[in-house]
Amino acid sequence: AFALDLQKRGIALTVSTMPMMSGWSREYDPDSRAAKALAAELASALAGTQARLWDTWSTLDVPAADFTDAVHLRWSATGRFTRRLVSATGFGARD
């Protein structure tokens, strides 16, 4: 409903999962069941809308040194993540 409401108002929605530290994923989600389930639920929720999904948990390899824990990026890594977000989604690009 949120995506449809924004779409009706001409606002583009981009949803991004957070990257997970690969060591955490290997230990606690070795078959990627949780990552795939999250991506599927998000894709289902956004189906029929113009919203975009960037599933970084499943697709983005972020060095372990860029994390403070399993999900929080160090401040020094946020610039690289943001550049990758813009590159992957066009977020912030002007037409």
Side-chain angles (χ1 to χ4, degrees), residues 4-90:
L4 287 173
D5 181 56
L6 291 178
Q7 183 174 308
K8 288 176 189 172
R9 293 191 281 152
I11 300 170
L13 175 64
T14 298
V15 176
S16 172
T17 59
M18 286 299 298
M20 289 287 227
M21 184 183 289
S22 59
W24 184 95
S25 291
R26 276 192 305 274
E27 186 170 345
Y28 297 103
D29 190 30
D31 59 0
S32 298
R33 184 178 298 171
K36 290 175 185 174
L38 175 63
E41 287 293 325
L42 289 169
S44 177
L46 299 174
T49 74
Q50 295 173 354
R52 294 176 292 183
L53 171 62
W54 188 38
D55 178 20
T56 66
W57 184 4
S58 300
T59 63
L60 188 63
D61 186 30
V62 177
D66 283 0
F67 291 90
T68 61
D69 59 29
V71 297
H72 294 98
L73 291 174
R74 294 185 186 284
W75 180 248
S76 59
T78 59
R80 283 187 300 279
F81 176 79
T82 301
R83 284 188 293 280
R84 291 169 103 175
L85 172 69
V86 169
S87 177
T89 66

